[in-house]
Amino acid sequence: MNSVLHIRLQTTPAQHARLLELQAAFAQVCNALAPVVQQTGCWNRVGLHHLAYRAMREQFPALGSQMICNALYSVSRASRWVYQHPSSPFNLTRLAGRPLPRLQFLPQSPVYFDRHTLSLRDGVASMYTLDGRMRFNLPLAPVDEQRFRTARLREVVLLFRDNQFQLSFTFGDGAEPSASVPGAEGEEGAALSTSEREAAADEMPHYLLVLHGPTVPESPIPEAARLPAAPPRQNRTAP
């Protein structure tokens, strides 16, 4: 069974501003990836990586390679809900062969982290931002310290709710210790990770818009994504 630890961050005004900048930049990359999904019908994470990673690195050099990978993951997750969830009005069955609509991520969309971009050691977290690492104290209760040492950390998400940032850590069963990743005052959440709760929800994630019409011109499609000869769409979706 999974468990979720939610941690509200006590940030200074300067730290708050840096996290807002990171969140907006992350959403910008997601919005540059969305037209690739729309035009190719590919939202499988590995396939999307092959199509768009290099172009995104060139277009957004300030964000860093690992955060580009995390943005690819975010777009793949969101696309799976919009185009495949039975409750989505835009799933492939309801579209019946019509062109895919385009996703738009709002500036305060979730930001996904991993062990390369967020770490925790001796109660101090080190988080990637656009202008270098940001460090802050995250004192953990003994039970949570034990969880970081013994449980498998599956997902780390930065969320912005009620004008405050929080980190959401999803732990899975397994004896393997978590890679180095973070935590302050914790509360137990549902057994599903943030992504899994979104995938299971009957309502579209609140940070997404679904737009019809042509691709926006300021989001160029990578050359590789323009290659013809694509297999049937259902074979290119995430499993």
Side-chain angles (χ1 to χ4, degrees), residues 1-148:
M1 179 180 294
N2 298 332
S3 62
V4 181
L5 175 66
H6 301 296
I7 302 164
R8 295 188 181 276
L9 303 184
Q10 304 299 322
T11 56
T12 66
Q15 289 174 329
H16 186 90
R18 290 172 68 183
L19 293 181
L20 286 176
E21 290 176 359
L22 175 64
Q23 193 173 38
F26 193 87
Q28 188 177 11
V29 177
C30 292
N31 286 328
L33 287 164
V36 180
V37 173
Q38 180 193 30
Q39 293 192 9
T40 65
C42 175
W43 55 88
N44 174 276
R45 182 176 59 85
V46 175
L48 191 57
H49 186 282
H50 288 306
L51 286 175
Y53 171 78
R54 183 172 297 180
M56 294 300 104
R57 283 287 288 130
E58 293 174 355
Q59 189 176 348
F60 302 99
L63 196 60
S65 60
Q66 195 59 42
M67 292 303 288
I68 295 292
C69 291
N70 294 343
L72 287 159
Y73 172 84
S74 177
V75 172
S76 176
R77 282 284 196 179
S79 299
R80 187 186 304 182
W81 195 100
V82 172
Y83 302 130
Q84 292 182 253
H85 196 284
S87 297
S88 172
F90 310 102
N91 72 35
L92 297 180
T93 302
R94 289 188 175 92
L95 288 176
R98 292 182 303 232
L100 295 178
R102 174 170 53 86
L103 304 188
Q104 180 169 320
F105 291 73
L106 299 179
Q108 294 178 350
S109 297
V111 179
Y112 289 86
F113 288 88
D114 57 78
R115 63 179 181 176
H116 302 289
T117 52
L118 184 64
S119 62
L120 176 68
R121 185 170 184 176
D122 298 329
V124 178
S126 174
M127 175 187 289
Y128 173 92
T129 68
L130 295 177
D131 55 352
R133 288 272 174 172
M134 185 171 76
R135 292 174 173 81
F136 43 88
N137 293 326
L138 286 179
L140 292 171
V143 63
D144 293 324
E145 289 182 359
Q146 179 68 17
R147 186 157 36 164
F148 275 105

Side-chain angles (χ1 to χ4, degrees), residues 179-208:
S180 43
V181 212
E185 57 194 76
E187 55 190 74
E188 284 291 337
L192 297 177
S193 70
T194 300
S195 292
E196 289 168 333
R197 288 197 303 274
E198 291 171 359
D202 288 333
E203 296 184 0
M204 187 170 64
H206 67 280
Y207 55 85
L208 280 180

